[in-house]
């Protein structure tokens, strides 16, 4: 059984029910907006489908697919989980179980600029893994931020059906596009509406509520030698280490599109670490 739920429905791209600028910042790691979205989605879902949660003992929460670096929607999922777990606690119910859609291929193509056929061909060539034994015969909540073409949902449904899984599978979104004739690259319009240069990326990256995600890592690693050096001059140092660790975890050092910038980042932060150690030793001797 399938259910689809959205906090917002986009029927006119020219009159969005939420801030395009806020959404753009969310996609680049603004944690405050991610929490706002998660809280909004949880409140709306509980109001409409709170009874559905009461009907099930085991409820599994599954964020959008990722490898080592979480997506922006993962941060939204954490806030959603917090609110729903409090609801379940007050109702004397078991808290949400968690699972993950593992993916074994990462790609550099700009997904938001593709049409439906291109998206489907790209992600169909990916390999997803679901823990079928864990999901079977349970209420499963798949969460993502915006549904534009539905290609991701289609691939997940195919996987569920291929594995012969029974259960109640709910696809939850912060927003769904329901405007016929709107080009799929509308997603990129939203993604880059407010964050369209390295200075804005650095502002979010250094922010108090920043949460690392795939989009901002890819954006930084697509930069030129000049923009990467400029980024490192201003970026929060511990977070640059975190970025490098995440990027290696996603094997970006093996991808031509990213390895040059990643190698430069690692060289420069390693040099900075060594310089700091030398300065500390000099101060101790003095």
């Amino acid at each position: 059984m399938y259910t689809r739920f959205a906090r917002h429905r986009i029927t006119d791209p020219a009159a969005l029910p939420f801030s395009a600028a806020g959404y753009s910042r969310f996609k680049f790691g603004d944690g405050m907006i991610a929490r706002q979205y998660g809280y909004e989605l949880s409140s709306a879902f509980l109001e409409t489908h709170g009874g559905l949660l009461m009907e099930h003992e085991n409820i599994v929460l599954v964020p959008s697919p990722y490898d080592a670096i979480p997506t922006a929607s993962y941060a939204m999922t954490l806030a959603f989980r917090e609110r729903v777990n409090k609801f379940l606690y007050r109702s004397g119910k078991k808290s949400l179980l968690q699972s993950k859609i593992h993916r074994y291929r990462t790609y550099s193509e700009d997904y938001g600029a593709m049409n439906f056929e291109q998206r489907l061909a790209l992600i169909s060539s990916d390999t997803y893994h679901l823990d079928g034994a864990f999901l079977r015969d349970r209420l499963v909540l798949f969460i993502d931020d915006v549904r534009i073409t539905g290609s991701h949902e289609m691939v997940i449904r195919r996987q569920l059906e291929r594995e012969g899984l029974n259960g109640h599978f709910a696809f939850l979104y912060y927003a769904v596009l329901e405007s016929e004739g709107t080009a799929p690259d509308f997603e990129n319009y939203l993604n880059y509406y407010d964050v369209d240069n390295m200075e804005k990326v650095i502002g979010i990256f250094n922010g108090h509520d920043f949460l690392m995600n795939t989009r901002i890592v890819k954006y930084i690693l697509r930069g030129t030698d000049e923009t990467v050096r400029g980024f490192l001059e201003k970026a929060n140092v511990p977070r640059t280490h975190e970025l490098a660790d995440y990027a290696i975890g996603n094997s970006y050092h093996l991808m031509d599109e990213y390895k040059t910038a990643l190698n430069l980042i690692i060289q420069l932060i390693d040099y900075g670490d060594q310089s700091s150690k030398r300065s500390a030793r000099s101060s101790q001797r003095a």
Side-chain angles (χ1 to χ4, degrees), residues 130-136 138 163 165:
L130 295 165
D131 187 345
F134 189 67
L135 302 183
R136 192 181 305 276
R138 290 177 167 174
E163 297 191 20
L165 297 182

Side-chain angles (χ1 to χ4, degrees), residues 23 26-27 41 60-78 80 98-105 107 111 123 126-130 135 140-147 151-153 155-156 170-174 187 212-215 250:
Y23 181 82
F26 155 74
K27 292 295 283 189
L41 179 59
V60 185
L61 183 65
V62 184
S64 59
Y66 67 95
D67 185 9
I69 313 175
T71 60
S73 63
Y74 180 76
M76 180 186 77
T77 302
L78 295 179
F80 176 91
Q98 282 209 243
S99 189
K100 177 184 176 181
I101 302 174
H102 297 269
R103 67 186 321 166
Y104 299 106
R105 176 177 178 256
Y107 39 80
Y111 186 81
I123 61 179
D126 200 348
T127 303
Y128 286 179
H129 171 73
L130 295 165
L135 302 183
V140 184
L141 310 179
F142 294 99
I143 297 193
D144 210 341
D145 42 48
V146 172
R147 182 183 190 271
S151 53
H152 260 114
E153 180 180 321
V155 170
I156 293 170
F171 292 87
L172 280 59
Y173 302 96
Y174 182 69
E187 184 172 2
M212 197 75 69
N213 67 45
T214 309
R215 177 166 299 278
N250 250 36

Side-chain angles (χ1 to χ4, degrees), residues 38-53:
Y39 293 158
E40 283 185 38
L41 179 59
S42 62
S43 295
F45 181 73
L46 289 173
E47 182 178 352
T48 306
H49 292 295
L52 176 63
L53 301 183

Side-chain angles (χ1 to χ4, degrees), residues 27-231:
K27 292 295 283 189
F28 278 87
D30 190 315
M32 182 177 68
I33 298 175
R35 283 194 299 276
Q36 174 193 328
Y37 285 3
Y39 293 158
E40 283 185 38
L41 179 59
S42 62
S43 295
F45 181 73
L46 289 173
E47 182 178 352
T48 306
H49 292 295
L52 176 63
L53 301 183
M54 294 297 96
E55 296 172 7
H56 293 266
E57 179 180 0
N58 294 299
I59 307 166
V60 185
L61 183 65
V62 184
S64 59
Y66 67 95
D67 185 9
I69 313 175
T71 60
S73 63
Y74 180 76
M76 180 186 77
T77 302
L78 295 179
F80 176 91
R81 182 185 66 186
E82 175 193 331
R83 287 289 174 87
V84 172
N85 271 344
K86 287 180 179 176
F87 168 82
L88 294 171
Y89 157 75
R90 290 191 296 268
S91 304
K93 301 282 287 185
K94 184 188 297 185
S95 60
L96 293 172
L97 302 170
Q98 282 209 243
S99 189
K100 177 184 176 181
I101 302 174
H102 297 269
R103 67 186 321 166
Y104 299 106
R105 176 177 178 256
T106 188
Y107 39 80
S108 60
E109 294 89 343
D110 197 337
Y111 186 81
M114 297 179 178
N115 61 32
F116 174 77
E117 289 77 15
Q118 291 169 327
R119 292 176 186 221
L120 189 59
L122 181 66
I123 61 179
S124 293
S125 67
D126 200 348
T127 303
Y128 286 179
H129 171 73
L130 295 165
D131 187 345
F134 189 67
L135 302 183
R136 192 181 305 276
D137 297 323
R138 290 177 167 174
L139 172 61
V140 184
L141 310 179
F142 294 99
I143 297 193
D144 210 341
D145 42 48
V146 172
R147 182 183 190 271
I148 299 295
T149 65
S151 53
H152 260 114
E153 180 180 321
M154 181 180 294
V155 170
I156 293 170
R157 286 194 184 204
R158 286 179 178 176
Q159 185 77 11
L160 295 171
E161 291 162 6
R162 185 160 48 242
E163 297 191 20
L165 297 182
N166 294 316
H168 190 145
F169 305 109
F171 292 87
L172 280 59
Y173 302 96
Y174 182 69
V176 295
L177 177 65
E178 294 185 343
S179 175
E180 293 185 8
T182 301
D185 62 4
F186 171 69
E187 184 172 2
N188 257 13
Y189 164 79
L190 291 177
N191 291 341
Y192 299 102
Y193 183 90
D194 186 64
V195 185
D196 56 0
N197 60 62
M198 189 63 84
E199 285 299 316
K200 291 184 177 180
V201 165
I202 293 169
I204 296 175
F205 189 86
N206 288 343
H208 175 70
D209 288 311
F210 173 72
L211 294 170
M212 197 75 69
N213 67 45
T214 309
R215 177 166 299 278
I216 197 167
V217 173
K218 285 183 174 182
Y219 186 95
I220 293 166
L221 295 185
R222 286 196 191 103
T224 63
D225 184 280
E226 180 182 0
T227 60
V228 170
R229 289 178 183 272
F231 164 77

